[in-house]
Amino acid sequence: MTWFLEHADVVGRLAVQHAYLAGVPLLIGLVLALPLGWLAQRGGPWRPILLTGTGLLYTIPSLALFVLIPLVLGTRILDPVNVLVAMTIYTIALLVRSVADGLASVPAETAAAATAMGYGGWRRLVTVELPLAIPVIAAGLRVAAVSNVSIVSVASLIGVAQLGSLLTDGYQRFYGEVLLVGIAACVVLALLFDVVIVGVTRLLTPWARAGRGARPGSGPGSHAGSGAGSGGGPRAGGAA
């Protein structure tokens, strides 16, 4: 505890760098995984290619990827860009399947009701299917966030400064307190990421906070379903 109090500024600076290296790829990976997951969810030959291919990316050892990327991009070995690119690859590997599963979880009758209301493919995807898929996608994002925080620490072995530097430093000097501070800081950072993701998910899914006793179809697709039922048209359940 004494070491932490004396070096709180160092730990704070490393934590900010760690959050940057883990958080930015999380956002970039999500943006890239959305169209890939949508394409995989549509089925056809792309599904096995995308799901298997992106899944295999996660099997690449992180240290090997950190060393390989500078050779591909022509960057310096200590350039943080190498870590950002590697973590983006790992994020995509985890999120493509989550996006595909999330979109597949949307009830067929809800999508059919939206189509009956005149929603085109793009409008239905953005206003109905993606909002309903948010809980599944968010679950995958939480896993990816914890994974990123963990894997980023490995970059300390190639000299990129972040919380993992405390782990390597404590190990090399046989200084247990530094090791404990590094581990605790990584755990706290992962928990903060998780809390933020859960909070944003709650904000984006207000129907889920309305209570579990709410009637089915009270989410984003309920407007399409009720509209399809009015005016003599088929209800959501009969449109499937």
Side-chain angles (χ1 to χ4, degrees):
M1 191 64 178
T2 302
W3 185 92
F4 172 72
L5 295 177
E6 294 175 351
H7 300 83
D9 57 332
V10 176
V11 176
R13 184 172 65 254
L14 293 176
V16 170
Q17 180 71 358
H18 200 113
Y20 169 74
L21 294 174
V24 171
L26 199 64
L27 298 176
I28 298 175
L30 175 61
V31 171
L32 296 177
L34 285 174
L36 294 176
W38 170 79
L39 191 59
Q41 187 270 335
R42 288 175 63 88
W46 283 109
R47 181 177 178 84
I49 293 175
L50 287 171
L51 294 184
T52 304
T54 55
L56 288 175
L57 290 176
Y58 198 74
T59 65
I60 303 174
S62 56
L63 185 58
L65 193 58
F66 290 148
V67 174
L68 178 63
I69 286 178
L71 302 178
V72 177
L73 300 182
T75 53
R76 294 178 295 105
I77 188 67
L78 296 181
D79 197 328
V81 170
N82 303 324
V83 181
L84 293 175
V85 172
M87 299 316 303
T88 300
I89 291 174
Y90 286 132
T91 302
I92 292 173
L94 289 174
L95 290 186
V96 169
R97 182 174 290 275
S98 295
V99 173
D101 290 344
L103 293 174
S105 71
V106 177
E109 58 268 23
T110 301
T115 302
M117 282 291 296
Y119 284 53
W122 175 252
R123 184 184 177 196
R124 185 181 67 243
L125 173 66
V126 174
T127 62
V128 177
E129 295 174 355
L130 269 180
L132 289 175
I134 284 176
V136 176
I137 297 174
L141 197 63
R142 293 172 69 183
V143 174
V146 174
S147 174
N148 281 12
V149 171
S150 175
I151 295 177
V152 163
S153 62
V154 178
S156 62
L157 295 176
I158 60 172
V160 178
Q162 25 74 30
L163 291 174
S165 302
L166 299 178
L167 304 179
T168 55
D169 183 54
Y171 175 77
Q172 291 170 353
R173 295 194 294 147
F174 298 99
Y175 201 157
E177 187 174 353
V178 178
L179 275 171
L180 291 176
V181 170
I183 294 171
C186 288
V187 171
V188 170
L189 185 60
L191 289 174
L192 288 176
F193 270 62
D194 193 67
V195 168
V196 170
I197 294 172
V198 170
V200 173
T201 301
R202 288 174 59 86
L203 289 176
L204 296 177
T205 56
W207 61 89
R209 304 197 309 272
R212 294 185 178 182
R215 63 181 180 86
S218 58
S222 61
H223 176 73
S226 61
S230 62
R235 291 187 177 275

